[in-house]
Amino acid sequence: MNDSKKIGFWTCTALVVGNCIGMGIFLLPASLAPYGFNATIGWVITVIGCIALARVFARLAREMPNADGPYGYVRSTLGELPAYIALWCYWVSLWITNAALATGVVAYITAVFPEMGNLQPSLLALGLLWTFVAINLFGVRSGGGVQIVTTALKLLPMLAITLLGVWMLVYSPQSYVAHLPTRPVTLHDAMAASTIALFAMLGIESATVPASRVENPGRTIPRATIVGTLLTAAIYLIVSTVPMLLLPEQELANAPAPFALLMDRFVGEGMGRWLALFVVVSGLGALNGWTLLVGELTRTMSDNGVLPAFLSRNNRRGAPAFALVMTALLASGMILMNYSKSLVNGFTVLSQVVTAANLPLYLCCSIALAVLWKRGKRLDDKGVRGLLLIAVLGTAYSIFAFIGMGHEAFQMALILAAAGLPLYLFMRVLRARLNRS
């Protein structure tokens, strides 16, 4: 591919931050409120675990710069079947995420612009979904440019919450002890809160997915992955703690828009509506980022012969047109089936499915790094000794997340994996026949 059509460090970092900061963080303070200080402990566990996973992806990108993203990492170390299962589950999670994002953005658009409530919500959601498909059809740099702009804009409400927290700490410090959570700290609650928080951190691997479209991937992807993950983690820790300490637990738990409630309460009535506008921008940015990634991942899987060959065809701008259109059709079907659900209920159901679908990829990539360590290709490099520690931490956190989510999440992951096996077997037979002919 022409270098002028490739993406660099800032776009890759924007993919990580923009895809992590979608709409989940704007709902999580309410979801985590019943857990009290267990939520803070859960966030710390999640941040540490995700930094370990970010290190896994960063080292894989450094050690295998010519691999075509996560599929290449797992396939070259664990084999074709584990790579397919992990990427199949991840692939399904991407277009389900797009459906959830489009539906959630519509709910906030109608809150900001009530006059749009007269429009059919499903049609509006479909319109948003296909708008970003159209943008990404102009190429990865087009979608990447939109990602940088929307990521910058979505950080503004996070900055507003942070400044509010600092202002209250300086001028009204007693506010932070007026509504202290009363729920006792337990391991079970901390684990449960940690796995809920993980949903908001999904996307740390975003810079690795379009690896073949990245300038100098061996250097760019590791830097963008680490910087993006640390920036997201710092933002989340701050903006999750402020509402937990400033709002009564029960009121926060019942708030459909926790950040808007916080702004209305401590800044001024009506300020929450302006913040909701940036929630829309945040959701649109995430929708753009995940649209870009699902197109690239579909193309990668097609190039490797596990999805039909026509899905890898690029248009004249280098965009995987058939892949973008097909995944948008699948997401459209999800929208039409689920658009009547409320924002909170929709995310409550879909977050578990999406999180469970991501964990096989995280686990397989962590194990892949351990395989690289065992092969010891660069024994003269002191850095090779660090591969095992990073691999163990990533594997341990992936298993911890599975345990924390409970048996239902594990069953969801198994069902998703099993659903893809017939297609895998069909494509394998088809490739064998083509090779014989």
Side-chain angles (χ1 to χ4, degrees), residues 249-303:
E249 180 179 318
Q250 194 59 42
E251 185 178 13
L252 179 60
N254 294 326
F259 291 165
L261 173 62
L262 192 69
M263 296 297 286
D264 282 339
R265 178 70 52 83
F266 293 99
V267 179
E269 196 67 32
M271 292 301 296
R273 182 177 178 181
W274 287 104
L275 187 129
L277 178 61
F278 286 97
V279 177
V280 171
V281 174
S282 180
L284 293 177
L287 181 57
N288 174 73
W290 289 115
T291 299
L292 186 155
L293 290 193
V294 75
E296 290 299 318
L297 181 60
T298 305
R299 180 194 57 77
T300 298
M301 294 176 73
S302 177
D303 282 341

Side-chain angles (χ1 to χ4, degrees), residues 42-52 201 229 233-234 236-237 397:
W43 266 117
V44 172
I45 294 171
T46 299
V47 167
I48 293 172
C50 287
I51 290 173
M201 288 296 295
T229 301
Y236 278 2
L237 281 171
Y397 179 69

Side-chain angles (χ1 to χ4, degrees), residues 51-94:
I51 290 173
L53 291 174
R55 292 278 292 164
V56 166
F57 285 106
R59 286 304 297 265
L60 286 171
R62 176 184 163 190
E63 301 298 327
M64 294 187 284
N66 297 319
D68 204 0
Y71 189 89
Y73 304 154
V74 180
R75 184 178 186 180
S76 63
T77 52
L78 304 183
E80 184 176 297
L81 183 57
Y84 173 79
I85 291 175
L87 269 296
W88 166 267
C89 292
Y90 184 66
W91 179 73
V92 171
S93 80
L94 293 192

Side-chain angles (χ1 to χ4, degrees), residues 144-410:
V146 171
Q147 192 68 13
I148 291 176
V149 174
T150 55
T151 297
L153 290 174
K154 73 170 59 180
L155 292 179
L156 291 178
M158 304 296 173
L159 178 61
I161 296 298
T162 302
L163 292 177
L164 172 62
V166 173
W167 183 74
M168 293 296 295
L169 184 62
V170 172
Y171 293 100
S172 183
Q174 67 275 10
S175 300
Y176 277 101
V177 295
H179 310 291
L180 291 177
T182 57
R183 184 156 179 159
V185 173
T186 65
L187 177 61
H188 178 269
D189 284 347
M191 288 181 68
S194 174
T195 53
I196 293 173
L198 176 59
F199 174 69
M201 288 296 295
L202 298 180
I204 56 175
E205 73 290 340
S206 296
T208 68
V209 176
S212 64
R213 310 299 179 98
V214 176
E215 296 174 1
N216 191 7
R219 174 176 170 81
T220 301
I221 293 175
R223 291 170 60 217
T225 299
I226 296 300
V227 171
T229 301
L230 290 174
L231 180 59
T232 303
I235 292 169
Y236 278 2
L237 281 171
I238 294 170
V239 302
S240 295
T241 303
V242 171
M244 181 186 74
L245 294 177
L246 292 181
L247 294 173
E249 180 179 318
Q250 194 59 42
E251 185 178 13
L252 179 60
N254 294 326
F259 291 165
L261 173 62
L262 192 69
M263 296 297 286
D264 282 339
R265 178 70 52 83
F266 293 99
V267 179
E269 196 67 32
M271 292 301 296
R273 182 177 178 181
W274 287 104
L275 187 129
L277 178 61
F278 286 97
V279 177
V280 171
V281 174
S282 180
L284 293 177
L287 181 57
N288 174 73
W290 289 115
T291 299
L292 186 155
L293 290 193
V294 75
E296 290 299 318
L297 181 60
T298 305
R299 180 194 57 77
T300 298
M301 294 176 73
S302 177
D303 282 341
N304 285 276
V306 294
L307 287 178
F310 75 91
L311 293 174
S312 65
R313 296 176 190 166
N314 293 334
N315 62 16
R316 61 188 180 88
R317 294 182 178 272
F322 287 103
L324 286 167
V325 170
M326 190 202 72
T327 52
L329 288 171
L330 292 169
S332 297
M334 289 294 295
I335 288 173
L336 293 173
M337 286 190 294
N338 295 285
Y339 78 92
S340 61
K341 294 181 183 293
S342 70
L343 178 63
V344 176
N345 287 339
F347 267 92
T348 298
V349 174
L350 290 174
S351 65
Q352 282 193 321
V353 178
V354 172
T355 305
N358 275 257
L359 288 177
L361 176 66
Y362 294 167
L363 179 61
C364 286
C365 283
S366 298
I367 297 173
L369 196 62
V371 172
L372 284 183
W373 171 83
K374 186 176 181 181
R375 290 176 180 174
K377 289 183 178 179
R378 304 190 326 177
L379 294 176
D380 57 326
D381 184 354
K382 293 181 180 180
V384 77
R385 293 198 295 268
L387 292 180
L388 181 60
L389 176 61
I390 298 169
V392 169
L393 290 175
T395 301
Y397 179 69
S398 300
I399 295 172
F400 169 86
F402 261 126
I403 295 172
M405 292 187 72
H407 68 280
E408 290 183 2
F410 185 71

